[in-house]
PDB file of all heavy atoms in Angstrom:
ATOM      1  N   GLU A 143     129.889 120.717  56.009  1.00  0.00           N
ATOM      2  CA  GLU A 143     128.964 119.609  55.771  1.00  0.00           C
ATOM      3  C   GLU A 143     128.442 118.997  57.072  1.00  0.00           C
ATOM      4  O   GLU A 143     127.451 118.259  57.064  1.00  0.00           O
ATOM      5  CB  GLU A 143     129.647 118.522  54.925  1.00  0.00           C
ATOM      6  CG  GLU A 143     130.720 117.709  55.637  1.00  0.00           C
ATOM      7  CD  GLU A 143     132.095 118.384  55.689  1.00  0.00           C
ATOM      8  OE1 GLU A 143     132.191 119.585  55.329  1.00  0.00           O
ATOM      9  OE2 GLU A 143     133.061 117.709  56.073  1.00  0.00           O
ATOM     10  N   LEU A 144     129.092 119.322  58.187  1.00  0.00           N
ATOM     11  CA  LEU A 144     128.665 118.797  59.489  1.00  0.00           C
ATOM     12  C   LEU A 144     127.947 119.842  60.339  1.00  0.00           C
ATOM     13  O   LEU A 144     127.508 119.544  61.452  1.00  0.00           O
ATOM     14  CB  LEU A 144     129.872 118.263  60.271  1.00  0.00           C
ATOM     15  CG  LEU A 144     130.674 117.147  59.600  1.00  0.00           C
ATOM     16  CD1 LEU A 144     131.861 116.769  60.491  1.00  0.00           C
ATOM     17  CD2 LEU A 144     129.802 115.924  59.339  1.00  0.00           C
ATOM     18  N   ALA A 145     127.822 121.065  59.827  1.00  0.00           N
ATOM     19  CA  ALA A 145     127.328 122.177  60.638  1.00  0.00           C
ATOM     20  C   ALA A 145     125.948 121.918  61.229  1.00  0.00           C
ATOM     21  O   ALA A 145     125.674 122.275  62.388  1.00  0.00           O
ATOM     22  CB  ALA A 145     127.305 123.459  59.806  1.00  0.00           C
ATOM     23  N   ALA A 146     125.055 121.280  60.471  1.00  0.00           N
ATOM     24  CA  ALA A 146     123.688 121.049  60.955  1.00  0.00           C
ATOM     25  C   ALA A 146     123.659 120.155  62.181  1.00  0.00           C
ATOM     26  O   ALA A 146     122.666 120.130  62.922  1.00  0.00           O
ATOM     27  CB  ALA A 146     122.839 120.442  59.844  1.00  0.00           C
ATOM     28  N   ARG A 147     124.743 119.410  62.409  1.00  0.00           N
ATOM     29  CA  ARG A 147     124.770 118.494  63.552  1.00  0.00           C
ATOM     30  C   ARG A 147     124.868 119.219  64.896  1.00  0.00           C
ATOM     31  O   ARG A 147     124.565 118.630  65.932  1.00  0.00           O
ATOM     32  CB  ARG A 147     125.919 117.504  63.393  1.00  0.00           C
ATOM     33  CG  ARG A 147     125.773 116.636  62.148  1.00  0.00           C
ATOM     34  CD  ARG A 147     126.724 115.468  62.126  1.00  0.00           C
ATOM     35  NE  ARG A 147     126.495 114.659  60.929  1.00  0.00           N
ATOM     36  CZ  ARG A 147     126.967 113.433  60.762  1.00  0.00           C
ATOM     37  NH1 ARG A 147     127.715 112.882  61.712  1.00  0.00           N
ATOM     38  NH2 ARG A 147     126.715 112.763  59.654  1.00  0.00           N
ATOM     39  N   VAL A 148     125.303 120.470  64.863  1.00  0.00           N
ATOM     40  CA  VAL A 148     125.399 121.220  66.119  1.00  0.00           C
ATOM     41  C   VAL A 148     124.005 121.405  66.721  1.00  0.00           C
ATOM     42  O   VAL A 148     123.761 121.053  67.889  1.00  0.00           O
ATOM     43  CB  VAL A 148     126.095 122.573  65.905  1.00  0.00           C
ATOM     44  CG1 VAL A 148     126.009 123.426  67.177  1.00  0.00           C
ATOM     45  CG2 VAL A 148     127.548 122.359  65.493  1.00  0.00           C
ATOM     46  N   TYR A 149     123.103 121.978  65.951  1.00  0.00           N
ATOM     47  CA  TYR A 149     121.734 122.205  66.444  1.00  0.00           C
ATOM     48  C   TYR A 149     121.071 120.886  66.831  1.00  0.00           C
ATOM     49  O   TYR A 149     120.482 120.767  67.921  1.00  0.00           O
ATOM     50  CB  TYR A 149     120.921 122.913  65.367  1.00  0.00           C
ATOM     51  CG  TYR A 149     119.487 123.194  65.767  1.00  0.00           C
ATOM     52  CD1 TYR A 149     119.176 124.264  66.598  1.00  0.00           C
ATOM     53  CD2 TYR A 149     118.451 122.391  65.308  1.00  0.00           C
ATOM     54  CE1 TYR A 149     117.862 124.528  66.961  1.00  0.00           C
ATOM     55  CE2 TYR A 149     117.139 122.652  65.665  1.00  0.00           C
ATOM     56  CZ  TYR A 149     116.844 123.716  66.486  1.00  0.00           C
ATOM     57  OH  TYR A 149     115.540 123.967  66.856  1.00  0.00           O
ATOM     58  N   ALA A 150     121.164 119.896  65.960  1.00  0.00           N
ATOM     59  CA  ALA A 150     120.542 118.603  66.247  1.00  0.00           C
ATOM     60  C   ALA A 150     121.095 117.994  67.529  1.00  0.00           C
ATOM     61  O   ALA A 150     120.359 117.399  68.315  1.00  0.00           O
ATOM     62  CB  ALA A 150     120.745 117.653  65.069  1.00  0.00           C
ATOM     63  N   SER A 151     122.392 118.161  67.743  1.00  0.00           N
ATOM     64  CA  SER A 151     123.019 117.605  68.949  1.00  0.00           C
ATOM     65  C   SER A 151     122.495 118.269  70.209  1.00  0.00           C
ATOM     66  O   SER A 151     122.264 117.605  71.232  1.00  0.00           O
ATOM     67  CB  SER A 151     124.543 117.773  68.866  1.00  0.00           C
ATOM     68  OG  SER A 151     125.085 117.027  67.798  1.00  0.00           O
ATOM     69  N   THR A 152     122.287 119.600  70.153  1.00  0.00           N
ATOM     70  CA  THR A 152     121.772 120.285  71.343  1.00  0.00           C
ATOM     71  C   THR A 152     120.380 119.790  71.690  1.00  0.00           C
ATOM     72  O   THR A 152     120.042 119.622  72.879  1.00  0.00           O
ATOM     73  CB  THR A 152     121.722 121.814  71.140  1.00  0.00           C
ATOM     74  OG1 THR A 152     120.775 122.165  70.116  1.00  0.00           O
ATOM     75  CG2 THR A 152     123.087 122.372  70.779  1.00  0.00           C
ATOM     76  N   LYS A 153     119.581 119.520  70.666  1.00  0.00           N
ATOM     77  CA  LYS A 153     118.211 119.093  70.922  1.00  0.00           C
ATOM     78  C   LYS A 153     118.145 117.641  71.385  1.00  0.00           C
ATOM     79  O   LYS A 153     117.295 117.281  72.212  1.00  0.00           O
ATOM     80  CB  LYS A 153     117.361 119.315  69.670  1.00  0.00           C
ATOM     81  CG  LYS A 153     117.213 120.797  69.294  1.00  0.00           C
ATOM     82  CD  LYS A 153     116.660 121.629  70.445  1.00  0.00           C
ATOM     83  CE  LYS A 153     116.402 123.061  70.049  1.00  0.00           C
ATOM     84  NZ  LYS A 153     115.789 123.858  71.149  1.00  0.00           N
ATOM     85  N   LYS A 154     119.036 116.796  70.860  1.00  0.00           N
ATOM     86  CA  LYS A 154     119.077 115.414  71.346  1.00  0.00           C
ATOM     87  C   LYS A 154     119.514 115.376  72.804  1.00  0.00           C
ATOM     88  O   LYS A 154     118.917 114.676  73.628  1.00  0.00           O
ATOM     89  CB  LYS A 154     120.023 114.573  70.503  1.00  0.00           C
ATOM     90  CG  LYS A 154     120.120 113.129  70.991  1.00  0.00           C
ATOM     91  CD  LYS A 154     120.913 112.237  70.056  1.00  0.00           C
ATOM     92  CE  LYS A 154     120.950 110.800  70.593  1.00  0.00           C
ATOM     93  NZ  LYS A 154     121.639 109.890  69.633  1.00  0.00           N
ATOM     94  N   ALA A 155     120.568 116.136  73.122  1.00  0.00           N
ATOM     95  CA  ALA A 155     121.056 116.150  74.502  1.00  0.00           C
ATOM     96  C   ALA A 155     119.992 116.672  75.463  1.00  0.00           C
ATOM     97  O   ALA A 155     119.832 116.148  76.577  1.00  0.00           O
ATOM     98  CB  ALA A 155     122.323 116.998  74.599  1.00  0.00           C
ATOM     99  N   PHE A 156     119.249 117.707  75.038  1.00  0.00           N
ATOM    100  CA  PHE A 156     118.209 118.239  75.910  1.00  0.00           C
ATOM    101  C   PHE A 156     117.075 117.230  76.090  1.00  0.00           C
ATOM    102  O   PHE A 156     116.575 117.052  77.208  1.00  0.00           O
ATOM    103  CB  PHE A 156     117.655 119.547  75.360  1.00  0.00           C
ATOM    104  CG  PHE A 156     116.542 120.110  76.193  1.00  0.00           C
ATOM    105  CD1 PHE A 156     116.764 120.495  77.503  1.00  0.00           C
ATOM    106  CD2 PHE A 156     115.254 120.232  75.682  1.00  0.00           C
ATOM    107  CE1 PHE A 156     115.733 120.988  78.301  1.00  0.00           C
ATOM    108  CE2 PHE A 156     114.223 120.735  76.457  1.00  0.00           C
ATOM    109  CZ  PHE A 156     114.454 121.105  77.767  1.00  0.00           C
ATOM    110  N   ALA A 157     116.677 116.554  75.017  1.00  0.00           N
ATOM    111  CA  ALA A 157     115.636 115.529  75.137  1.00  0.00           C
ATOM    112  C   ALA A 157     116.078 114.428  76.093  1.00  0.00           C
ATOM    113  O   ALA A 157     115.284 113.938  76.905  1.00  0.00           O
ATOM    114  CB  ALA A 157     115.306 114.956  73.763  1.00  0.00           C
ATOM    115  N   GLN A 158     117.342 114.050  76.021  1.00  0.00           N
ATOM    116  CA  GLN A 158     117.857 113.024  76.935  1.00  0.00           C
ATOM    117  C   GLN A 158     117.858 113.533  78.374  1.00  0.00           C
ATOM    118  O   GLN A 158     117.556 112.773  79.304  1.00  0.00           O
ATOM    119  CB  GLN A 158     119.263 112.608  76.512  1.00  0.00           C
ATOM    120  CG  GLN A 158     119.292 111.830  75.205  1.00  0.00           C
ATOM    121  CD  GLN A 158     120.699 111.515  74.748  1.00  0.00           C
ATOM    122  OE1 GLN A 158     121.656 112.236  75.064  1.00  0.00           O
ATOM    123  NE2 GLN A 158     120.842 110.431  74.005  1.00  0.00           N
ATOM    124  N   TRP A 159     118.175 114.822  78.554  1.00  0.00           N
ATOM    125  CA  TRP A 159     118.144 115.389  79.909  1.00  0.00           C
ATOM    126  C   TRP A 159     116.723 115.329  80.480  1.00  0.00           C
ATOM    127  O   TRP A 159     116.536 114.992  81.657  1.00  0.00           O
ATOM    128  CB  TRP A 159     118.639 116.833  79.882  1.00  0.00           C
ATOM    129  CG  TRP A 159     118.667 117.467  81.241  1.00  0.00           C
ATOM    130  CD1 TRP A 159     119.659 117.359  82.170  1.00  0.00           C
ATOM    131  CD2 TRP A 159     117.638 118.263  81.839  1.00  0.00           C
ATOM    132  NE1 TRP A 159     119.312 118.052  83.313  1.00  0.00           N
ATOM    133  CE2 TRP A 159     118.083 118.616  83.138  1.00  0.00           C
ATOM    134  CE3 TRP A 159     116.396 118.719  81.401  1.00  0.00           C
ATOM    135  CZ2 TRP A 159     117.322 119.404  83.999  1.00  0.00           C
ATOM    136  CZ3 TRP A 159     115.643 119.505  82.256  1.00  0.00           C
ATOM    137  CH2 TRP A 159     116.092 119.848  83.538  1.00  0.00           C
ATOM    138  N   ILE A 160     115.742 115.649  79.659  1.00  0.00           N
ATOM    139  CA  ILE A 160     114.348 115.558  80.110  1.00  0.00           C
ATOM    140  C   ILE A 160     114.029 114.151  80.565  1.00  0.00           C
ATOM    141  O   ILE A 160     113.434 113.931  81.632  1.00  0.00           O
ATOM    142  CB  ILE A 160     113.391 115.988  78.976  1.00  0.00           C
ATOM    143  CG1 ILE A 160     113.478 117.507  78.725  1.00  0.00           C
ATOM    144  CG2 ILE A 160     111.952 115.568  79.277  1.00  0.00           C
ATOM    145  CD1 ILE A 160     112.839 118.369  79.779  1.00  0.00           C
ATOM    146  N   ARG A 161     114.410 113.157  79.777  1.00  0.00           N
ATOM    147  CA  ARG A 161     114.104 111.759  80.105  1.00  0.00           C
ATOM    148  C   ARG A 161     114.822 111.312  81.376  1.00  0.00           C
ATOM    149  O   ARG A 161     114.261 110.559  82.175  1.00  0.00           O
ATOM    150  CB  ARG A 161     114.503 110.860  78.936  1.00  0.00           C
ATOM    151  CG  ARG A 161     113.760 111.139  77.645  1.00  0.00           C
ATOM    152  CD  ARG A 161     112.327 110.704  77.712  1.00  0.00           C
ATOM    153  NE  ARG A 161     112.178 109.251  77.696  1.00  0.00           N
ATOM    154  CZ  ARG A 161     111.007 108.630  77.750  1.00  0.00           C
ATOM    155  NH1 ARG A 161     109.882 109.328  77.825  1.00  0.00           N
ATOM    156  NH2 ARG A 161     110.935 107.328  77.722  1.00  0.00           N
ATOM    157  N   ARG A 162     116.045 111.778  81.570  1.00  0.00           N
ATOM    158  CA  ARG A 162     116.805 111.372  82.750  1.00  0.00           C
ATOM    159  C   ARG A 162     116.319 112.068  84.018  1.00  0.00           C
ATOM    160  O   ARG A 162     116.467 111.540  85.118  1.00  0.00           O
ATOM    161  CB  ARG A 162     118.296 111.702  82.574  1.00  0.00           C
ATOM    162  CG  ARG A 162     119.011 110.935  81.503  1.00  0.00           C
ATOM    163  CD  ARG A 162     120.529 111.050  81.673  1.00  0.00           C
ATOM    164  NE  ARG A 162     120.967 112.409  81.920  1.00  0.00           N
ATOM    165  CZ  ARG A 162     121.297 113.282  80.980  1.00  0.00           C
ATOM    166  NH1 ARG A 162     121.191 112.936  79.708  1.00  0.00           N
ATOM    167  NH2 ARG A 162     121.712 114.490  81.291  1.00  0.00           N
ATOM    168  N   THR A 163     115.757 113.248  83.856  1.00  0.00           N
ATOM    169  CA  THR A 163     115.506 114.123  85.002  1.00  0.00           C
ATOM    170  C   THR A 163     114.073 114.086  85.509  1.00  0.00           C
ATOM    171  O   THR A 163     113.827 114.241  86.716  1.00  0.00           O
ATOM    172  CB  THR A 163     115.869 115.573  84.606  1.00  0.00           C
ATOM    173  OG1 THR A 163     117.221 115.615  84.125  1.00  0.00           O
ATOM    174  CG2 THR A 163     115.712 116.519  85.782  1.00  0.00           C
ATOM    175  N   ALA A 164     113.117 113.878  84.628  1.00  0.00           N
ATOM    176  CA  ALA A 164     111.708 114.110  84.968  1.00  0.00           C
ATOM    177  C   ALA A 164     111.198 113.256  86.114  1.00  0.00           C
ATOM    178  O   ALA A 164     110.336 113.704  86.885  1.00  0.00           O
ATOM    179  CB  ALA A 164     110.838 113.894  83.735  1.00  0.00           C
TER     180      ALA A 164
END
Side-chain angles (χ1 to χ4, degrees):
E143 72 278 10
L144 301 178
R147 298 192 178 195
V148 172
Y149 180 79
S151 296
T152 65
K153 295 305 185 177
K154 179 172 181 176
F156 178 63
Q158 291 176 333
W159 181 83
I160 289 287
R161 298 289 288 180
R162 294 196 314 270
T163 305

